[in-house]
Amino acid sequence: MSRQGVGAPVLRKEDGRFLRGRGRYVGDIAFPGMREVAFLRSPVAHGIIRAITKPQGYEAQVFTWADLEGVQPIRAPSSLPGFRKSDQYPLAHGRVRQVGEPIAMVMAATRAEAEDIAEMIGLDIEELPAATDMLAHRAGPPIHENWPDNVVLHTLVDDDISDVAAPIVVRRQLRTARQHMAPMEGRGVVVRWDERMEQLEMHSSSQMVHVTKTGLAECLGLPEAAVRIIAPDVGGGFGYKGILLQEEVAMGWLARRLGGTALRWIEDRREALSAQANCREHHYDIAVHADHDGRILAIDCEAHVDSGAYSAYPFSACLEAAQVASILPGPYVVPRYRCRTWSVATNKAPILPYRGVARTGVCYALETTLDAVARQAGISPVELRLRNLPGPEAMPYINITNKIFDSGDYPEALRRAADAVDAAGFPARQAAARAEGRLIGLGFAVFCEQGAHGTSVYHGWGIPFVPGAEAAQVRLTPDGGLEVRVGVQNHGQGMETTLAQVAHELLGMPLDRIRIIHGDTALTPYSTGTWGSRSAVMAGGAVGDACALLRERVLAIGAHLLQAEHVEYRDGAIHAGAASVPVAEIARIFHRAPQQLPPEMQTQSLEVTLGHKTVRDTGTFSYAAHAVEAEVDAATGQVKLRRYLIVEDGGVLLNPLVADGQVLGGAAQGIGTALYEEMPFDTAGQPLASTFVDYLLPGAGEVPDIEILHMETPSPISRFGQKGIGESGAIGPPAAIVNAINDAIAHLGREVTDIPATPERILAALA
């Protein structure tokens, strides 16, 4: 490690412009003569469109599906057997299936004027009963006309466990709430038809620009060369910005029709909360079979996921439920396993992957049930987990669903967490608190995060965009700087810093001479984008491989210039004994004085594009142990987090400061999942939290000081031993917090089963 290379805790390069207000977001982009767009959205969750009447005098500014000639609906396919496809029209066609579904697009000089015109549109909808409960409405009536029921996909891992004789069987029914991702910056689109390039140029707040380009071209019937997607600075994504938008397709059609006139739509918060995609609405019926010592003998589960009205492109409606069955056993040794999952269509916004994708729910289901097993077995939750976790000697460990855990010491992470919070001494502290009339509890959660999983995994999950080798392009400029081009997207992860550190590790030039270029399909290699905790491993590996090849070329030129047979690359220069030549001088000679080089070197390039795959494409496995001490107010149901500690193993950390930021941010979101965030619907399918008055997010006062202890067990399959940890912080909090709550009230024979664990739910449990 150098002072700026892999492992160095350097400050983020990008923070200077963000802290000074010099970032450039979609909302900052403007073109001369640009028009603003607003959408008329469905006021009902389910209904047949009888008529749409454009207001007199504004017909040329209002567009419906009937106007969008040549446009195809958005179709997110899946190769999984039994998957049911749905057409998601950019503007509603014939029927609406969720509140907020776009029905008409309005163009005007200002957003206010466009909204005024939208309010004048006549809309006749015959309202139909809404499917709002995934359990009650799984069998129908179907919300898609050609379906027999509302099952998008049914999966079964069928290991017959009927012969398992377990003295302890704990069964729980658990539910997680539907949430909204709530990035600081909402979605936004600025689009125009570039007449000179004969190309649709779209600026979009997106975390996967190349996938958006492909989907948009398909819907508009354009060759991909005629579409360019640019993501400027992106103010948070979390999965919310990982799909092709209906608004992007509709506006792309209109921009092409208008010629050179630019259009802009900036999502407002009410649109985001009431109309756009949600996530994480799960129901579990789970049973854990164990022996008297608390060792797991079998797990049996039936899980439902509310998928919403449509399959969002590209992941489809099945990403959550299809993963549940494969990841529910977590990091534990589970001899027998059965799991049935249902993806159910309802009249709600389509479900999207959200930071932790399915893992947060399965962690909550399994970890809270394991605590109940520990109580029945009469052992501590820590001891129960230690008896069921594979040790470091078992690595690489293959679990019952064929997940290959690459490296780590899971029991040690839990032991460190337990020691740090003095779990052994907690029963005495708890008893003393009860004597004072206070309810305190200690909760743990252990989980793993599969990241950077590749071709074989996503092909098996039926995902239409299967990631292959991740490419990076590195270019040595004539003055000795370095340009690094990657197809992944930075939206808060600090990749402009960590990828520059990787390049510095190989080439030695200072970080301020390394420029990371991303977010533009015209300038970067094709990539499926930033998702699945893949960027540090895959793009980091690609940058490392490309820089290594560029380094070899620079070494050869340096050896020629020094007339030396044996040279070494050190401190940004080529050395041969006491003589040396800086890399900047090599770049100058190659680009501006090639006559000093032999012909065979003149025809080489100091620009390298190279793809990278991990040694095994089944993914890296980060893991963590979360420990929470919580206090429950029996009179109000309020929960206070007295202490929060995380022991995290993300392999070799490219930058410890960036890693801490990822874990802390994720933990804050996980606290929201555990205690505050919920998107409820009434029986008519109306969302009941359309502003931040009703949709509660944790703030500084709700997030405690979080302590992080790092372990660094290198992954044997990645370029530098790094693992993906972008989602890890968000996975563990709900399980750990609810386990702490339940520990506080267990002596009363009470338990919380549904999250968020609001004061109302806690008081109901206590009652």
Side-chain angles (χ1 to χ4, degrees):
M1 183 191 78
S2 74
R3 290 184 300 106
Q4 293 188 323
V6 169
V10 300
L11 298 178
R12 301 198 323 173
K13 285 163 56 86
E14 52 267 58
D15 283 349
R17 71 176 186 273
F18 295 148
L19 293 173
R20 293 176 175 86
R22 296 172 184 165
R24 189 167 189 250
Y25 299 87
V26 171
D28 298 316
I29 297 170
F31 292 97
M34 185 172 71
R35 310 285 276 176
E36 301 285 350
V37 168
F39 289 89
L40 174 68
R41 299 182 182 275
S42 174
V44 301
H46 195 195
I48 297 172
I49 300 174
R50 295 302 185 193
I52 305 171
T53 306
K54 297 180 181 182
Q56 189 173 0
Y58 296 99
E59 292 86 352
Q61 295 173 251
V62 177
F63 307 90
T64 67
W65 173 250
D67 298 308
L68 271 58
E69 184 178 351
V71 177
Q72 296 297 313
I74 299 170
R75 297 186 175 103
S78 172
S79 61
L80 292 173
F83 171 79
R84 292 199 179 109
K85 300 178 182 178
S86 56
D87 287 348
Q88 185 181 29
Y89 289 86
L91 299 174
H93 172 51
R95 183 181 290 222
V96 292
R97 295 181 178 87
Q98 65 160 107
V99 170
E101 184 167 354
I103 294 177
M105 174 174 54
V106 181
M107 173 187 67
T110 66
R111 172 66 176 256
E113 182 183 347
E115 291 180 351
D116 288 344
I117 296 171
E119 289 184 1
M120 292 188 284
I121 297 172
L123 188 59
D124 181 6
I125 296 179
E126 178 189 338
E127 191 168 359
L128 301 173
T132 58
D133 187 297
M134 57 184 162
L135 302 181
H137 295 114
R138 189 181 80 191
I143 69 170
H144 293 281
E145 298 90 321
N146 56 341
W147 290 18
D149 50 35
N150 287 317
V151 178
V152 185
L153 181 71
H154 166 238
T155 70
L156 177 63
V157 176
D158 194 8
D159 183 2
D160 183 8
I161 63 171
S162 59
D163 61 338
V164 175
I168 296 175
V169 179
V170 173
R171 180 179 179 182
R172 292 291 184 271
Q173 293 202 29
L174 307 158
R175 187 183 287 266
T176 68
R178 180 168 279 244
Q179 288 182 247
H180 171 67
M181 294 81 158
M184 186 175 294
E185 177 210 27
R187 293 164 169 166
V189 178
V190 173
V191 60
R192 63 175 185 143
W193 180 259
D194 187 333
E195 295 180 308
R196 173 180 171 270
M197 298 296 294
E198 295 187 339
Q199 187 179 57
L200 190 69
E201 178 186 291
M202 179 175 289
H203 302 256
S204 182
S205 188
S206 170
Q207 60 192 79
M208 42 205 319
V209 291
H210 292 276
V211 171
T212 298
K213 172 181 176 175
T214 297
L216 189 61
E218 290 175 356
C219 288
L220 296 180
L222 294 171
E224 289 204 32
V227 178
R228 179 185 183 186
I229 307 294
I230 304 166
D233 289 324
V234 175
F238 315 123
Y240 184 59
K241 297 175 182 176
I243 66 167
L244 175 65
L245 305 180
Q246 295 163 282
E247 293 86 355
E248 288 172 329
V249 177
M251 292 176 65
W253 170 84
L254 182 55
R256 189 182 182 200
R257 183 174 184 265
L258 294 175
T261 301
L263 303 169
R264 179 169 64 184
W265 166 72
I266 302 297
E267 176 186 72
D268 64 35
R269 192 60 69 176
R270 186 179 291 273
E271 284 180 301
L273 284 165
S274 63
Q276 303 291 12
N278 302 156
C279 56
R280 280 189 183 159
E281 187 173 1
H282 296 193
H283 180 275
Y284 295 89
D285 187 340
I286 182 172
V288 173
H289 302 244
D291 65 17
H292 286 298
D293 295 326
R295 288 185 174 84
I296 298 171
L297 300 177
I299 296 175
D300 189 12
C301 181
E302 182 165 4
H304 287 74
V305 175
D306 188 323
S307 297
Y310 301 101
S311 278
Y313 180 101
F315 293 109
S316 89
C318 302
L319 182 64
E320 290 268 320
Q323 284 196 80
V324 165
S326 67
I327 65 178
L328 181 64
Y332 296 103
V333 178
V334 178
R336 305 284 288 277
Y337 176 60
R338 177 184 177 277
C339 186
R340 183 188 301 273
T341 72
W342 304 87
S343 301
V344 182
T346 62
N347 292 117
K348 301 176 185 175
I351 197 169
L352 284 189
Y354 176 38
R355 195 175 197 173
V357 191
R359 293 170 182 81
T360 304
V362 300
C363 176
Y364 174 71
L366 181 58
E367 291 292 300
T368 55
T369 307
L370 288 181
D371 262 32
V373 172
R375 286 192 288 273
Q376 190 163 328
I379 60 177
S380 75
V382 171
E383 182 57 34
L384 179 134
R385 287 168 172 80
L386 290 175
R387 293 177 185 181
N388 288 285
L389 289 168
E393 72 284 351
M395 299 298 158
Y397 175 70
I398 303 176
N399 80 347
I400 194 163
T401 57
N402 292 316
K403 299 293 183 186
I404 305 175
F405 296 80
D406 50 344
S407 65
D409 190 338
Y410 291 70
E412 177 62 17
L414 178 57
R415 282 191 290 265
R416 291 190 188 186
D419 290 345
V421 298
D422 186 23
F426 184 76
R429 298 198 302 277
Q430 186 179 52
R434 286 175 183 169
E436 299 171 357
R438 296 167 47 238
L439 301 176
I440 65 171
L442 184 62
F444 291 88
V446 178
F447 60 89
C448 56
E449 176 193 1
Q450 184 180 11
H453 26 334
T455 304
S456 63
V457 176
Y458 283 100
H459 171 68
W461 284 347
I463 303 302
F465 272 84
V466 178
E470 185 69 26
Q473 181 187 86
V474 296
R475 175 191 296 171
L476 196 60
T477 62
D479 63 350
L482 187 73
E483 293 179 354
V484 178
R485 300 169 189 265
V486 289
V488 293
Q489 176 66 40
N490 183 37
H491 48 272
Q493 304 92 329
M495 282 193 289
E496 292 179 32
T497 302
T498 52
L499 295 183
Q501 288 182 256
V502 168
H504 172 85
E505 184 77 15
L506 275 297
L507 297 173
M509 56 196 61
L511 297 188
D512 60 7
R513 298 284 285 141
I514 301 172
R515 183 176 296 273
I516 307 297
I517 299 168
H518 66 291
D520 189 334
T521 58
L523 303 177
T524 60
Y526 194 93
S527 169
T528 54
T530 297
W531 52 285
S533 297
R534 64 187 302 274
S535 297
V537 175
M538 301 303 294
V543 171
D545 289 351
C547 286
L549 181 55
L550 180 60
R551 176 187 172 117
E552 292 303 312
R553 294 181 183 178
V554 170
L555 272 169
I557 296 173
H560 170 78
L561 294 175
L562 293 171
Q563 292 297 293
E565 185 175 346
H566 300 290
V567 295
E568 63 175 347
Y569 197 123
R570 188 175 73 249
D571 300 326
I574 309 302
H575 298 262
S580 66
V581 56
V583 171
E585 177 63 8
I586 291 173
R588 185 194 68 81
I589 290 172
F590 180 86
H591 289 101
R592 299 172 60 184
Q595 70 278 4
Q596 298 184 35
L597 303 176
E600 63 272 17
M601 284 187 176
Q602 294 180 28
T603 56
Q604 282 192 350
S605 173
L606 293 186
E607 178 179 304
V608 173
T609 301
L610 207 59
H612 173 83
K613 295 192 77 170
T614 51
V615 173
R616 186 177 59 243
D617 77 349
T618 50
T620 62
F621 281 78
S622 297
Y623 59 96
H626 286 218
V628 177
E629 184 175 328
E631 181 167 353
V632 177
D633 188 323
T636 66
Q638 295 286 343
V639 175
K640 179 181 179 181
L641 303 180
R642 294 161 52 96
R643 189 171 183 190
Y644 203 117
L645 180 130
I646 299 172
V647 177
E648 172 80 42
D649 190 341
V652 173
L653 302 179
L654 298 182
N655 183 321
L657 294 180
V658 169
D660 280 354
Q662 287 286 284
V663 174
L664 291 171
Q669 290 177 303
I671 289 169
T673 300
L675 296 175
Y676 304 105
E677 297 184 49
E678 183 171 15
M679 177 60 71
F681 288 77
D682 66 15
T683 56
Q686 291 291 333
L688 301 180
S690 61
T691 73
F692 280 156
V693 172
D694 303 302
Y695 189 87
L696 302 183
L697 292 170
E702 290 73 43
V703 178
D705 290 335
I706 296 174
E707 307 161 64
I708 302 176
L709 304 178
H710 284 295
M711 296 170 57
E712 291 191 60
T713 308
S715 171
I717 68 171
S718 66
R719 182 68 166 74
F720 300 100
Q722 77 274 35
K723 301 181 180 183
I725 62 167
E727 300 167 87
S728 177
I731 297 171
I737 291 170
V738 170
N739 279 338
I741 294 170
N742 287 340
D743 183 51
I745 63 177
H747 66 295
L748 303 174
R750 300 290 186 257
E751 207 174 56
V752 171
T753 58
D754 296 354
I755 53 174
T758 59
E760 293 81 6
R761 288 194 173 103
I762 290 174
L763 290 175
L766 289 173

